[in-house]
Amino acid sequence: MIDYKVVQDEEVTVLLDDLLELYGYDFTNYSKASIKRRVNRLFSLDRFPSFAEFRYRIKNDPGYLRRFIEQITVPVTEMFRDPAFYRTLREEVLPILGTYPLIRIWHAGCATGEEVYSMAIMLKEANLLHKSLLYATDINPEVLERARKGIFPLSQMKHYSENYISSGGKNDFSSYYSANYDMAKFDTVLTGKMIFATHNLVSDRSFNEFQLILCRNVLIYFDKDLQARVFQLFDESLDNLGFLALGSKETLRFSAIASKFKQVSAKEKIWRKMA
Amino acid sequence: MEKDGLKKVEAILIGGSAGSLDVILRMLPDLRRDLSLSIIIILHRSTTVDNTLVDLLSSRTSLMVKEAEEKEKILPGIIYIAPPDYHLLVENDRSFSLDFSEKILYSRPAIDVTFQTAADVYKSFLVAILLSGANADGSEGLVAVQNAGGITIVQDPADAEINYMPHQALLKLTPAHIMKKADLAGFINRLPF
Ligand SMILES: C[S@@+](CC[C@H](N)C(=O)[O-])C[C@H]1O[C@@H](n2cnc3c(N)ncnc32)[C@H](O)[C@@H]1O
């Protein structure tokens, strides 16, 4: 049983202050309830006898710090999650992107990369992969390392294949990977167009101009102020007429940049920059 | 607004899995129309049925029913439903946040997550009800609500379509009430709010 109440609010604040002071990681504008749950989850999973020891370990063991960052930032993702979203990208966004000589796409907060591989597969099927570059960034270097390898659990492939088909995929999904024991390694043709780099949405600046930015299920962890700052960053990083895609429960509505954007389809969280 | 010297209840949490939707559908029409507390419902369901659940529940009550949105303020007199495939958390400032972390006991939304975070915020001004289901989710959450001083209710296993979920809860705690579905609305209507 995991006890979610051992590390108290004030202690969570102490940890977040440590992270900012010692390592420059700023989690102070994250939604509190989630951070607290993740911190407590880790505290019980790793069986710390006291808060003091937990704190000491985070401050003094770089290996553990990595684990801590990875665990509190929720490195969870799927391929072709929300098939209808991918179908809209496939049918309404990719044909427009296809008119550009070079397509630059930014996956911000890509976790272990399943979303990036999904996109690369769609680009390949639209015959656009050869002129695309997929920038995949995350705050957490560990997940990027895994994303770069393109190796995912074979046990997920049935589910992903179903998602792929409902997103409008026409091929045999298994043609994109080779199975090896219990893992599936994705085609290096896909990986060849990806560029992985750590990027912290809280503190790092815009680094390029894109025709499409995807940032899904990251903003739900940020408070409104931080969301507003990140929207500003995306606006700066998008070409005019570029697209911004968010997670299915996130919205650009109510944000300061909303007036510049037009939602592409009523149901999907995809906007186009109009001015 | 204290009645009979009782402390008022700010929110009611209702969690359930297989066999619990019918219980809720049956209870809703009997709720008083001036119910001035928040109801938060966490149901395990397949990810495909989406807004249809809001419509279905709305058709049974004059209270407002809506899907809980991230950062949304939690207001009295509204029935919120956890969106599919996200965990629903309650923040200190009485707003919702969503979380796409690992499933818990094969469930997202997990009843435990909402119950635990709500217990932290509402403390003793909270009622948590766990209904029928074929999964052990919810018991830990009920324990959290109980430890925070809230009122816990488990559907009588004999009255539940699938008794596993209530049963698991009863192994973990002695709730304030073990209740039949027919008695839920009456109980809620008498709560001080
Ligand atoms: C729930 S995952 C979402 C993954 C994927 N986009 C999806 O929707 O399936 C959230 C990701 O956001 C990343 N993240 C959290 N804070 C971040 C920040 N400040 N800058 C960049 N990435 C961040 C986490 O490391 C994690 O990989």
Side-chain angles (χ1 to χ4, degrees):
Chain A
M1 147 179 183
I2 290 179
D3 190 340
Y4 286 105
K5 277 211 64 175
V6 182
V7 184
Q8 298 299 316
D9 292 15
E10 313 77 59
E11 294 168 331
V12 173
T13 310
V14 166
L15 291 181
L16 299 190
D17 288 347
D18 286 348
L19 289 175
L20 182 54
E21 210 170 289
L22 294 173
Y23 309 106
Y25 282 121
D26 186 356
F27 292 111
T28 50
N29 284 94
Y30 280 52
S31 300
K32 299 280 176 296
S34 163
I35 289 272
K36 186 175 178 194
R37 225 189 113 243
R38 300 301 289 180
V39 165
N40 272 290
R41 174 177 174 276
L42 194 61
F43 182 88
S44 342
L45 276 179
D46 294 348
R47 299 170 187 281
F48 282 96
S50 69
F51 174 72
E53 287 190 46
F54 188 38
R55 184 180 179 199
Y56 182 86
R57 190 80 187 276
I58 294 164
K59 287 172 78 168
N60 295 289
D61 176 349
Y64 194 75
L65 172 73
R66 279 201 296 278
R67 172 166 169 79
F68 183 85
I69 298 294
E70 158 152 359
Q71 287 305 314
I72 62 169
T73 51
V74 191
V76 178
T77 182
E78 286 171 19
M79 290 187 83
F80 293 99
R81 177 172 192 221
D82 309 322
F85 164 83
Y86 282 95
R87 183 183 280 273
T88 306
L89 280 183
R90 207 189 267 279
E91 292 172 357
E92 290 176 40
V93 176
L94 293 195
I96 297 174
L97 295 187
T99 63
Y100 291 88
L102 174 64
I103 306 168
R104 277 190 308 267
I105 300 176
W106 178 17
H107 292 265
C110 68
T112 40
E114 282 81 339
E115 197 179 79
V116 194
Y117 284 85
S118 309
M119 178 62 83
I121 287 172
M122 292 199 307
L123 288 166
K124 185 155 189 290
E125 293 179 359
N127 225 338
L128 299 175
L129 186 64
H130 64 279
K131 59 169 183 170
S132 302
L133 281 177
L134 298 108
Y135 292 75
T137 65
D138 201 280
I139 188 177
N140 175 3
E142 304 290 301
V143 287
L144 293 174
E145 208 43 61
R146 275 185 268 159
R148 195 173 278 126
K149 294 201 178 96
I151 300 176
F152 304 116
L154 195 59
S155 58
Q156 295 291 324
M157 293 305 137
K158 183 169 173 290
H159 175 52
Y160 292 169
S161 164
E162 287 160 7
N163 282 354
Y164 163 79
I165 290 164
S166 23
S167 80
K170 302 251 171 349
N171 293 350
D172 181 355
F173 187 65
S174 65
S175 66
Y176 291 109
Y177 61 83
S178 44
N180 199 343
Y181 297 99
D182 52 355
M183 299 310 263
K185 169 139 183 47
F186 277 74
D187 198 334
T188 49
V189 171
L190 306 174
T191 327
K193 291 296 181 179
M194 300 174 189
I195 297 162
F196 297 95
T198 53
H199 180 279
N200 186 343
L201 290 166
V202 178
S203 49
D204 292 334
R205 317 265 310 252
S206 172
F207 59 94
N208 212 329
E209 290 231 327
F210 301 93
Q211 283 88 42
L212 167 61
I213 298 176
L214 296 97
C215 183
R216 310 192 71 217
N217 303 307
V218 182
L219 295 169
I220 47 174
Y221 297 103
F222 296 174
D223 70 14
K224 284 215 167 107
D225 291 343
L226 184 51
Q227 287 184 350
R229 267 153 57 198
V230 174
F231 280 138
Q232 210 60 52
L233 171 70
F234 290 156
D235 186 27
E236 282 163 28
S237 311
L238 262 185
D239 265 359
N240 196 13
L241 299 177
F243 296 88
L244 176 61
L246 305 178
S248 63
K249 301 298 170 193
E250 295 160 332
T251 184
L252 202 62
R253 229 177 353 153
F254 316 124
S255 80
I257 63 166
S259 60
K260 292 194 203 174
F261 285 76
K262 200 172 144 250
Q263 196 162 356
V264 168
S265 94
K267 287 200 92 175
E268 302 307 326
K269 300 299 168 66
I270 306 172
W271 284 264
R272 188 166 197 200
K273 185 168 166 179
M274 304 311 284
Chain B
M1 247 217 283
E2 301 212 345
K3 279 185 204 166
D4 315 314
L6 285 171
K7 58 179 193 258
K8 59 177 192 164
V9 171
E10 283 187 62
I12 302 176
L13 311 173
I14 303 176
S17 189
S20 63
L21 181 58
D22 282 342
V23 178
I24 293 169
L25 291 176
R26 174 172 170 173
M27 175 195 83
L28 286 179
D30 297 332
L31 291 181
R32 51 194 284 184
R33 292 154 155 266
D34 62 345
L35 200 66
S36 181
L37 40 74
S38 314
I39 298 184
I40 304 168
I41 299 179
I42 308 95
L43 282 183
H44 296 166
R45 50 184 166 139
S46 80
T47 52
T48 40
V49 287
D50 214 347
N51 273 321
T52 50
L53 185 59
V54 170
D55 295 342
L56 183 61
L57 299 196
S58 293
S59 68
R60 305 295 176 102
T61 171
S62 58
L63 292 166
M64 179 177 183
V65 181
K66 68 184 298 297
E67 195 173 274
E69 291 177 55
E70 67 114 13
K71 305 284 182 294
E72 179 174 14
K73 281 271 175 222
I74 305 172
L75 300 176
I78 299 182
I79 302 176
Y80 298 97
I81 301 173
D85 215 19
Y86 287 85
H87 296 305
L88 180 67
L89 285 66
V90 175
E91 297 282 344
N92 271 332
D93 64 357
R94 289 162 170 67
S95 66
F96 289 116
S97 61
L98 298 177
D99 168 26
F100 182 54
S101 60
E102 301 82 357
K103 292 183 179 181
I104 298 176
L105 298 166
Y106 311 101
S107 313
R108 190 171 53 213
I111 300 166
D112 282 339
V113 172
T114 311
F115 279 22
Q116 284 162 337
T117 54
D120 244 18
V121 171
Y122 290 109
K123 308 273 189 307
S124 61
F125 305 100
L126 183 65
V127 174
I129 307 173
L130 191 67
L131 303 174
S132 162
N135 175 297
D137 188 19
S139 327
E140 298 276 354
L142 276 183
V143 171
V145 171
Q146 189 166 64
N147 289 342
I151 300 171
T152 51
I153 299 170
V154 173
Q155 185 179 5
D156 185 346
D159 177 64
E161 190 179 318
I162 298 179
N163 64 19
Y164 188 82
M165 188 174 267
H167 220 100
Q168 289 299 306
L170 294 177
L171 293 175
K172 283 238 164 75
L173 81 161
T174 308
H177 306 276
I178 296 176
M179 217 174 268
K180 294 201 171 10
K181 51 179 167 284
D183 299 328
L184 285 169
F187 177 85
I188 292 174
N189 288 336
R190 286 191 303 275
L191 286 171
F193 56 81

